[in-house]
Coordinates of all heavy atoms in Angstrom, one line a residue:
M46 N -17.4 -2.9 3.6 CA -16.6 -4.0 3.4 C -15.1 -3.6 3.3 O -14.8 -2.6 2.7 CB -16.9 -4.8 2.1 CG -16.2 -6.1 1.9 SD -17.0 -6.9 0.5 CE -15.6 -8.0 0.1
N47 N -14.2 -4.4 4.0 CA -12.8 -4.1 4.0 C -12.5 -2.7 4.6 O -11.4 -2.2 4.3 CB -12.2 -4.2 2.6 CG -12.5 -5.5 1.9 OD1 -12.4 -6.5 2.5 ND2 -12.9 -5.4 0.7
T48 N -13.3 -2.2 5.5 CA -13.1 -0.9 6.1 C -11.9 -0.9 6.9 O -11.1 0.1 6.8 CB -14.3 -0.5 6.9 OG1 -15.5 -0.5 6.0 CG2 -14.2 0.9 7.4
A49 N -11.7 -1.9 7.8 CA -10.5 -1.9 8.7 C -9.2 -2.1 7.9 O -8.2 -1.4 8.2 CB -10.6 -3.1 9.7
E50 N -9.2 -2.9 6.8 CA -8.1 -3.1 6.0 C -7.7 -1.8 5.3 O -6.6 -1.4 5.2 CB -8.3 -4.2 5.0 CG -8.4 -5.6 5.6 CD -9.8 -6.0 6.1 OE1 -10.7 -5.1 6.1 OE2 -10.0 -7.2 6.4
R51 N -8.7 -1.2 4.7 CA -8.5 0.1 4.0 C -7.9 1.1 4.9 O -7.0 1.9 4.6 CB -9.8 0.6 3.4 CG -9.7 1.9 2.5 CD -11.0 2.4 2.0 NE -11.7 1.3 1.3 CZ -11.6 1.0 0.0 NH1 -10.7 1.7 -0.7 NH2 -12.3 0.1 -0.6
A52 N -8.5 1.2 6.1 CA -8.0 2.2 7.1 C -6.5 2.0 7.5 O -5.7 2.9 7.6 CB -8.9 2.2 8.3
A53 N -6.2 0.7 7.6 CA -4.8 0.3 8.0 C -3.9 0.7 6.9 O -2.8 1.2 7.1 CB -4.7 -1.1 8.4
I54 N -4.2 0.4 5.6 CA -3.4 0.7 4.5 C -3.3 2.2 4.4 O -2.2 2.7 4.2 CB -4.0 0.1 3.2 CG1 -3.9 -1.4 3.3 CG2 -3.2 0.6 2.0 CD1 -4.6 -2.2 2.2
R55 N -4.4 3.0 4.5 CA -4.3 4.4 4.4 C -3.4 5.0 5.4 O -2.7 6.0 5.2 CB -5.7 5.0 4.4 CG -6.5 4.8 3.1 CD -7.8 5.6 3.1 NE -7.5 7.0 3.2 CZ -7.2 7.8 2.2 NH1 -7.0 7.3 1.0 NH2 -7.0 9.1 2.4
E56 N -3.5 4.5 6.6 CA -2.7 5.0 7.7 C -1.2 4.8 7.4 O -0.4 5.7 7.6 CB -3.1 4.3 9.1 CG -2.2 4.8 10.2 CD -2.6 4.1 11.5 OE1 -3.6 3.5 11.6 OE2 -1.8 4.3 12.5
F57 N -0.9 3.6 7.0 CA 0.5 3.2 6.7 C 1.0 4.1 5.5 O 2.1 4.7 5.7 CB 0.6 1.8 6.2 CG 2.0 1.4 5.8 CD1 2.9 1.0 6.7 CD2 2.3 1.3 4.5 CE1 4.2 0.7 6.4 CE2 3.6 1.0 4.1 CZ 4.6 0.6 5.0
I58 N 0.3 4.3 4.5 CA 0.7 5.1 3.4 C 0.8 6.6 3.8 O 1.7 7.3 3.4 CB -0.3 5.0 2.2 CG1 -0.2 3.6 1.6 CG2 0.0 6.1 1.1 CD1 1.2 3.2 1.1
G59 N -0.1 7.1 4.6 CA -0.1 8.4 5.1 C 1.2 8.7 5.9 O 1.8 9.7 5.8
Q60 N 1.6 7.7 6.7 CA 2.9 7.8 7.4 C 4.1 7.9 6.5 O 5.0 8.6 6.7 CB 3.0 6.6 8.4 CG 2.0 6.7 9.6 CD 2.0 5.4 10.4 OE1 2.6 4.4 10.0 NE2 1.3 5.4 11.5
R61 N 4.1 7.0 5.5 CA 5.2 7.1 4.5 C 5.3 8.4 3.8 O 6.3 9.0 3.6 CB 5.0 6.0 3.4 CG 5.0 4.5 3.9 CD 6.2 3.9 4.5 NE 6.6 4.3 5.8 CZ 5.9 4.0 6.9 NH1 4.9 3.2 6.9 NH2 6.3 4.4 8.1
L62 N 4.1 8.9 3.4 CA 4.1 10.2 2.8 C 4.6 11.3 3.7 O 5.4 12.2 3.3 CB 2.7 10.6 2.3 CG 2.2 9.8 1.1 CD1 0.7 10.0 0.9 CD2 2.9 10.1 -0.2
A63 N 4.1 11.3 5.0 CA 4.6 12.3 5.9 C 6.1 12.2 6.1 O 6.7 13.3 6.3 CB 3.9 12.1 7.3
E64 N 6.7 11.0 6.1 CA 8.1 10.9 6.3 C 8.8 11.5 5.1 O 10.0 11.9 5.3 CB 8.5 9.4 6.3 CG 8.1 8.7 7.6 CD 8.4 7.2 7.6 OE1 8.9 6.7 6.6 OE2 8.0 6.6 8.7
H65 N 8.2 11.7 4.0 CA 8.8 12.3 2.8 C 8.4 13.8 2.7 O 8.6 14.4 1.7 CB 8.3 11.6 1.5 CG 8.9 10.2 1.4 ND1 10.2 10.0 0.8 CD2 8.5 9.0 1.8 CE1 10.4 8.7 0.8 NE2 9.5 8.1 1.5
G66 N 7.8 14.3 3.8 CA 7.4 15.7 3.8 C 6.2 16.0 3.0 O 5.9 17.2 2.6
D67 N 5.4 15.0 2.6 CA 4.2 15.2 1.8 C 3.0 15.1 2.7 O 2.6 14.0 3.1 CB 4.2 14.1 0.7 CG 3.0 14.2 -0.3 OD1 2.1 15.0 0.0 OD2 3.1 13.6 -1.3
A68 N 2.4 16.2 3.0 CA 1.2 16.3 3.9 C -0.1 16.4 3.1 O -1.2 16.5 3.7 CB 1.3 17.5 4.8
D69 N 0.0 16.3 1.7 CA -1.2 16.5 0.9 C -2.1 15.2 1.0 O -1.5 14.1 1.2 CB -0.8 16.7 -0.6 CG -0.2 18.0 -0.8 OD1 -0.4 18.9 0.0 OD2 0.5 18.1 -1.8
D70 N -3.4 15.4 0.9 CA -4.3 14.2 1.0 C -4.1 13.4 -0.3 O -3.5 13.8 -1.3 CB -5.7 14.8 1.0 CG -6.7 13.7 1.4 OD1 -6.3 12.7 2.1 OD2 -7.9 13.8 1.2
F71 N -4.5 12.1 -0.2 CA -4.4 11.2 -1.4 C -5.7 10.4 -1.5 O -6.4 10.2 -0.5 CB -3.2 10.3 -1.2 CG -3.2 9.4 0.0 CD1 -3.7 8.1 0.0 CD2 -2.8 9.9 1.2 CE1 -3.7 7.3 1.1 CE2 -2.8 9.2 2.4 CZ -3.2 7.9 2.3
S72 N -6.0 10.1 -2.7 CA -7.2 9.3 -2.9 C -6.8 7.8 -3.0 O -5.7 7.5 -3.2 CB -7.9 9.7 -4.2 OG -7.1 9.4 -5.3
D73 N -7.8 6.9 -2.9 CA -7.6 5.5 -2.9 C -7.1 5.0 -4.2 O -6.5 4.0 -4.3 CB -8.8 4.7 -2.4 CG -9.1 4.9 -0.9 OD1 -8.2 5.4 -0.2 OD2 -10.1 4.4 -0.5
D74 N -7.4 5.7 -5.3 CA -7.0 5.2 -6.6 C -5.8 6.0 -7.2 O -5.4 5.8 -8.3 CB -8.2 5.2 -7.6 CG -8.8 6.6 -7.8 OD1 -8.4 7.6 -7.0 OD2 -9.6 6.8 -8.7
E75 N -5.3 6.9 -6.4 CA -4.1 7.7 -6.9 C -2.9 6.8 -7.0 O -2.5 6.1 -6.1 CB -3.9 8.8 -5.9 CG -2.7 9.7 -6.2 CD -2.5 10.9 -5.3 OE1 -3.4 11.1 -4.4 OE2 -1.5 11.5 -5.4
P76 N -2.1 7.0 -8.1 CA -0.9 6.2 -8.3 C 0.2 6.9 -7.4 O 0.6 8.0 -7.5 CB -0.5 6.4 -9.7 CG -1.3 7.6 -10.2 CD -2.5 7.7 -9.3
L77 N 0.7 6.1 -6.4 CA 1.6 6.6 -5.4 C 3.0 6.4 -5.8 O 3.9 7.3 -5.6 CB 1.4 5.9 -4.1 CG -0.1 6.0 -3.5 CD1 -0.3 5.0 -2.4 CD2 -0.2 7.4 -3.0
F78 N 3.4 5.3 -6.5 CA 4.8 5.1 -6.9 C 5.0 5.6 -8.3 O 5.9 6.4 -8.5 CB 5.1 3.6 -6.7 CG 5.1 3.2 -5.3 CD1 3.9 2.5 -4.8 CD2 6.1 3.4 -4.4 CE1 3.9 2.1 -3.5 CE2 6.1 3.0 -3.1 CZ 4.9 2.4 -2.6
S79 N 4.1 5.2 -9.2 CA 4.3 5.7 -10.6 C 4.0 7.2 -10.7 O 4.5 7.9 -11.6 CB 3.4 5.0 -11.6 OG 2.0 5.2 -11.3
G80 N 3.3 7.8 -9.7 CA 3.1 9.2 -9.6 C 4.2 9.9 -8.8 O 4.0 11.1 -8.6
A81 N 5.2 9.2 -8.4 CA 6.4 9.8 -7.7 C 6.1 10.4 -6.4 O 6.9 11.2 -5.9 CB 7.1 10.7 -8.6
R82 N 5.0 10.0 -5.7 CA 4.8 10.5 -4.4 C 5.6 9.6 -3.4 O 6.0 10.1 -2.3 CB 3.3 10.5 -4.0 CG 2.6 11.6 -4.8 CD 1.2 11.8 -4.3 NE 1.2 12.5 -3.0 CZ 0.1 12.7 -2.3 NH1 -1.1 12.5 -2.9 NH2 0.1 13.3 -1.2
L83 N 5.9 8.4 -3.7 CA 6.7 7.5 -2.9 C 7.8 6.9 -3.7 O 7.7 6.8 -4.9 CB 5.8 6.4 -2.3 CG 4.8 6.8 -1.2 CD1 3.9 5.7 -0.8 CD2 5.4 7.4 0.0
D84 N 8.9 6.5 -3.0 CA 10.0 6.0 -3.8 C 10.2 4.5 -3.6 O 9.4 3.8 -3.0 CB 11.3 6.8 -3.3 CG 11.6 6.6 -1.8 OD1 11.0 5.7 -1.1 OD2 12.4 7.4 -1.3
S85 N 11.3 4.0 -4.1 CA 11.6 2.5 -4.1 C 11.8 2.0 -2.6 O 11.4 0.9 -2.3 CB 12.8 2.2 -4.9 OG 13.9 2.9 -4.5
V86 N 12.3 2.8 -1.7 CA 12.5 2.4 -0.4 C 11.1 2.2 0.3 O 10.8 1.2 1.0 CB 13.3 3.4 0.5 CG1 13.3 3.0 1.9 CG2 14.8 3.4 -0.1
S87 N 10.2 3.1 0.0 CA 8.8 3.0 0.4 C 8.1 1.8 -0.1 O 7.3 1.2 0.5 CB 8.0 4.3 0.1 OG 8.5 5.4 0.8
A88 N 8.5 1.4 -1.4 CA 7.9 0.2 -2.0 C 8.3 -1.0 -1.2 O 7.5 -1.9 -0.9 CB 8.3 0.1 -3.4
I89 N 9.6 -1.1 -0.8 CA 10.0 -2.3 0.0 C 9.3 -2.3 1.4 O 8.9 -3.3 1.8 CB 11.6 -2.2 0.2 CG1 12.2 -2.4 -1.2 CG2 12.0 -3.2 1.2 CD1 13.7 -2.0 -1.2
E90 N 9.2 -1.1 2.0 CA 8.5 -1.0 3.3 C 7.0 -1.4 3.1 O 6.4 -2.1 4.0 CB 8.6 0.4 3.8 CG 10.0 0.8 4.2 CD 10.1 2.3 4.5 OE1 9.2 3.1 4.1 OE2 11.0 2.6 5.2
T91 N 6.4 -1.1 2.0 CA 5.0 -1.4 1.7 C 4.8 -2.9 1.5 O 3.9 -3.5 2.1 CB 4.5 -0.6 0.5 OG1 4.6 0.8 0.8 CG2 3.0 -1.0 0.2
V92 N 5.7 -3.5 0.8 CA 5.7 -5.0 0.6 C 5.8 -5.7 1.9 O 5.0 -6.6 2.3 CB 6.8 -5.4 -0.4 CG1 6.9 -6.9 -0.3 CG2 6.4 -5.0 -1.8
A93 N 6.7 -5.2 2.8 CA 6.9 -5.8 4.1 C 5.7 -5.7 4.9 O 5.3 -6.6 5.6 CB 8.2 -5.3 4.8
F94 N 5.1 -4.5 4.9 CA 3.9 -4.2 5.7 C 2.7 -5.1 5.2 O 2.1 -5.7 6.1 CB 3.5 -2.7 5.5 CG 2.1 -2.4 5.9 CD1 1.8 -2.3 7.3 CD2 1.1 -2.2 5.0 CE1 0.5 -2.0 7.7 CE2 -0.2 -1.9 5.4 CZ -0.5 -1.8 6.8
L95 N 2.5 -5.2 3.9 CA 1.4 -6.1 3.4 C 1.6 -7.5 3.8 O 0.7 -8.3 4.1 CB 1.2 -5.9 1.9 CG 0.8 -4.5 1.5 CD1 0.9 -4.3 0.0 CD2 -0.6 -4.2 2.0
E96 N 2.9 -8.0 3.7 CA 3.2 -9.4 4.0 C 2.9 -9.6 5.5 O 2.3 -10.6 5.9 CB 4.6 -9.7 3.7 CG 4.8 -9.9 2.2 CD 6.3 -10.2 1.8 OE1 7.2 -9.8 2.6 OE2 6.5 -10.8 0.8
R97 N 3.5 -8.8 6.4 CA 3.4 -8.9 7.8 C 2.0 -8.7 8.3 O 1.5 -9.5 9.1 CB 4.4 -7.9 8.5 CG 4.5 -8.0 9.9 CD 5.5 -7.0 10.5 NE 5.2 -5.6 10.1 CZ 5.9 -4.9 9.2 NH1 6.9 -5.4 8.6 NH2 5.6 -3.7 9.0
R98 N 1.3 -7.7 7.9 CA 0.0 -7.3 8.5 C -1.1 -8.2 7.9 O -2.0 -8.6 8.7 CB -0.2 -5.8 8.2 CG -1.6 -5.3 8.7 CD -1.7 -5.2 10.2 NE -3.0 -4.9 10.6 CZ -3.5 -3.7 10.9 NH1 -2.7 -2.7 10.8 NH2 -4.7 -3.5 11.3
F99 N -1.1 -8.5 6.6 CA -2.2 -9.2 6.0 C -1.9 -10.5 5.4 O -2.8 -11.2 4.9 CB -2.8 -8.3 4.9 CG -3.2 -6.9 5.4 CD1 -2.5 -5.8 5.1 CD2 -4.4 -6.8 6.2 CE1 -3.0 -4.5 5.5 CE2 -4.8 -5.6 6.7 CZ -4.1 -4.4 6.3
G100 N -0.6 -10.9 5.5 CA -0.3 -12.3 5.0 C -0.2 -12.3 3.4 O -0.3 -13.4 2.9
V101 N 0.0 -11.2 2.8 CA 0.1 -11.2 1.3 C 1.4 -11.9 1.0 O 2.5 -11.6 1.6 CB 0.1 -9.8 0.7 CG1 0.4 -9.8 -0.8 CG2 -1.2 -9.1 1.0
D102 N 1.4 -12.9 0.1 CA 2.5 -13.7 -0.3 C 3.0 -13.2 -1.7 O 2.4 -13.7 -2.7 CB 2.2 -15.2 -0.3 CG 3.4 -16.0 -0.6 OD1 4.5 -15.5 -0.9 OD2 3.2 -17.3 -0.5
F103 N 4.0 -12.3 -1.7 CA 4.5 -11.8 -3.0 C 5.2 -12.9 -3.8 O 5.4 -12.8 -5.0 CB 5.3 -10.6 -2.8 CG 4.5 -9.4 -2.5 CD1 4.2 -9.0 -1.2 CD2 3.9 -8.6 -3.6 CE1 3.4 -7.9 -1.0 CE2 3.1 -7.5 -3.3 CZ 2.8 -7.1 -2.0
L104 N 5.7 -13.9 -3.1 CA 6.4 -15.0 -3.8 C 5.4 -15.7 -4.7 O 5.6 -16.0 -5.8 CB 7.1 -15.9 -2.8 CG 7.9 -17.0 -3.5 CD1 9.0 -16.5 -4.3 CD2 8.5 -17.9 -2.4
A105 N 4.2 -16.0 -4.1 CA 3.2 -16.7 -4.9 C 2.5 -15.7 -5.8 O 2.2 -16.1 -7.0 CB 2.1 -17.3 -3.9
A106 N 2.2 -14.5 -5.4 CA 1.5 -13.5 -6.3 C 2.4 -12.9 -7.4 O 1.9 -12.5 -8.4 CB 0.9 -12.4 -5.4
G107 N 3.7 -13.0 -7.1 CA 4.6 -12.3 -8.1 C 4.6 -10.8 -7.8 O 3.6 -10.2 -7.4
F108 N 5.8 -10.2 -7.9 CA 5.8 -8.8 -7.6 C 5.7 -8.0 -8.9 O 6.4 -8.2 -9.9 CB 7.1 -8.4 -6.9 CG 7.1 -6.9 -6.6 CD1 6.4 -6.4 -5.6 CD2 7.9 -6.0 -7.4 CE1 6.4 -5.0 -5.3 CE2 7.9 -4.7 -7.2 CZ 7.1 -4.2 -6.1
D109 N 4.8 -7.0 -8.9 CA 4.6 -6.1 -9.9 C 4.3 -4.8 -9.2 O 3.3 -4.7 -8.4 CB 3.5 -6.6 -10.8 CG 3.1 -5.6 -11.9 OD1 3.6 -4.4 -11.9 OD2 2.2 -5.9 -12.7
M110 N 5.0 -3.7 -9.5 CA 4.8 -2.4 -8.9 C 3.3 -2.0 -9.0 O 2.8 -1.3 -8.1 CB 5.7 -1.4 -9.4 CG 5.7 -0.1 -8.7 SD 6.3 -0.3 -7.0 CE 8.0 0.2 -7.3
G111 N 2.7 -2.3 -10.1 CA 1.3 -2.0 -10.2 C 0.4 -2.5 -9.2 O -0.7 -2.0 -8.9
K112 N 0.8 -3.6 -8.6 CA 0.0 -4.3 -7.5 C 0.0 -3.5 -6.2 O -0.8 -3.8 -5.3 CB 0.5 -5.7 -7.3 CG 0.2 -6.6 -8.5 CD 0.7 -8.0 -8.2 CE 0.4 -9.0 -9.4 NZ 0.9 -10.3 -9.1
I113 N 0.9 -2.6 -6.1 CA 0.9 -1.8 -4.8 C 0.9 -0.3 -5.1 O 1.2 0.5 -4.3 CB 2.2 -2.1 -4.0 CG1 3.5 -1.7 -4.7 CG2 2.2 -3.5 -3.6 CD1 4.7 -1.7 -3.8
D114 N 0.6 0.1 -6.3 CA 0.7 1.5 -6.8 C -0.4 2.4 -6.2 O -0.3 3.6 -6.2 CB 0.7 1.6 -8.3 CG 1.3 2.9 -8.8 OD1 2.0 3.6 -8.0 OD2 0.9 3.4 -9.9
S115 N -1.5 1.8 -5.6 CA -2.5 2.6 -5.0 C -3.1 1.9 -3.9 O -2.9 0.7 -3.7 CB -3.6 2.9 -6.1 OG -4.3 1.7 -6.4
V116 N -3.9 2.6 -3.0 CA -4.6 1.9 -1.9 C -5.5 0.9 -2.5 O -5.6 -0.2 -1.9 CB -5.3 3.0 -1.1 CG1 -6.2 2.3 0.0 CG2 -4.3 3.9 -0.4
E117 N -6.2 1.2 -3.5 CA -7.2 0.2 -4.1 C -6.4 -1.1 -4.6 O -6.9 -2.2 -4.4 CB -7.9 0.8 -5.3 CG -9.0 1.8 -4.9 CD -10.2 1.1 -4.1 OE1 -10.4 -0.1 -4.3 OE2 -10.8 1.8 -3.3
A118 N -5.3 -0.9 -5.2 CA -4.5 -2.1 -5.7 C -4.0 -2.9 -4.5 O -4.1 -4.1 -4.5 CB -3.3 -1.6 -6.5
M119 N -3.6 -2.2 -3.4 CA -3.1 -3.0 -2.2 C -4.3 -3.7 -1.6 O -4.2 -4.8 -1.2 CB -2.5 -2.0 -1.2 CG -1.2 -1.4 -1.7 SD -0.5 -0.3 -0.4 CE -0.2 1.1 -1.5
L120 N -5.4 -3.0 -1.5 CA -6.6 -3.7 -0.9 C -7.0 -4.9 -1.7 O -7.4 -5.9 -1.1 CB -7.8 -2.7 -0.9 CG -9.0 -3.1 -0.1 CD1 -8.7 -3.5 1.3 CD2 -10.1 -2.0 -0.1
A121 N -6.9 -4.9 -3.0 CA -7.2 -6.0 -3.9 C -6.3 -7.2 -3.5 O -6.8 -8.3 -3.5 CB -7.1 -5.7 -5.4
L122 N -5.0 -6.9 -3.3 CA -4.1 -8.0 -2.9 C -4.5 -8.6 -1.6 O -4.5 -9.8 -1.4 CB -2.7 -7.4 -2.8 CG -1.9 -7.2 -4.0 CD1 -0.6 -6.5 -3.7 CD2 -1.6 -8.6 -4.7
V123 N -4.9 -7.7 -0.6 CA -5.3 -8.1 0.7 C -6.5 -9.0 0.7 O -6.6 -10.1 1.3 CB -5.5 -6.9 1.7 CG1 -6.1 -7.3 3.0 CG2 -4.1 -6.2 1.9
V124 N -7.5 -8.6 -0.1 CA -8.7 -9.4 -0.3 C -8.4 -10.8 -0.8 O -8.9 -11.8 -0.3 CB -9.7 -8.6 -1.2 CG1 -10.9 -9.5 -1.6 CG2 -10.2 -7.4 -0.4
R125 N -7.5 -10.9 -1.8 CA -7.1 -12.2 -2.3 C -6.4 -13.0 -1.3 O -6.5 -14.2 -1.2 CB -6.3 -12.0 -3.6 CG -7.2 -11.6 -4.8 CD -6.4 -11.8 -6.1 NE -5.3 -10.9 -6.3 CZ -5.4 -9.6 -6.7 NH1 -6.6 -9.1 -7.1 NH2 -4.3 -8.9 -6.8
A126 N -5.6 -12.3 -0.5 CA -4.7 -13.1 0.5 C -5.6 -13.7 1.6 O -5.2 -14.7 2.1 CB -3.7 -12.1 1.1
V127 N -6.6 -13.0 2.0 CA -7.4 -13.5 3.1 C -8.6 -14.4 2.6 O -9.3 -14.9 3.4 CB -7.9 -12.3 4.0 CG1 -6.8 -11.6 4.6 CG2 -8.9 -11.4 3.2
A128 N -8.8 -14.4 1.3 CA -9.9 -15.3 0.8 C -9.6 -16.7 0.8 O -8.5 -17.2 0.9 CB -10.2 -14.8 -0.6

């Protein structure tokens, strides 16, 4: 379930990490922003990606960094957005 969405999110995050010179693997539940692997610019890019690709409405959902801090958290937002 949600395999395509998970893969798309992981690919996007992997690209952001690579842009920051971080080639280490990451788990789906790893804190990416609070763990300092990604920065605030990446957070803005991530919000834009989730809105554009999956229709997540952060205006309605409210923005909280915890909602995008891991692949699992992002996937939960996507699941709610498409439900």
Side-chain angles (χ1 to χ4, degrees):
M46 185 171 161
N47 306 316
T48 304
E50 292 88 348
R51 182 183 307 275
I54 293 168
R55 287 189 58 80
E56 179 181 348
F57 177 82
I58 294 301
Q60 290 170 351
R61 300 291 77 70
L62 289 169
E64 288 173 3
H65 290 273
D67 184 343
D69 292 339
D70 197 20
F71 59 97
S72 66
D73 288 350
D74 61 350
E75 179 177 351
L77 300 165
F78 296 98
S79 65
R82 289 194 67 183
L83 292 173
D84 60 15
S85 59
V86 173
S87 295
I89 294 167
E90 293 170 338
T91 300
V92 166
F94 166 75
L95 294 170
E96 287 179 333
R97 184 178 56 253
R98 175 74 187 262
F99 300 108
V101 174
D102 183 356
F103 282 92
L104 184 60
F108 181 76
D109 174 354
M110 189 65 96
K112 292 181 179 179
I113 65 166
D114 200 25
S115 69
V116 171
E117 285 296 331
M119 291 179 230
L120 188 58
L122 279 175
V123 169
V124 167
R125 285 193 295 275
V127 299

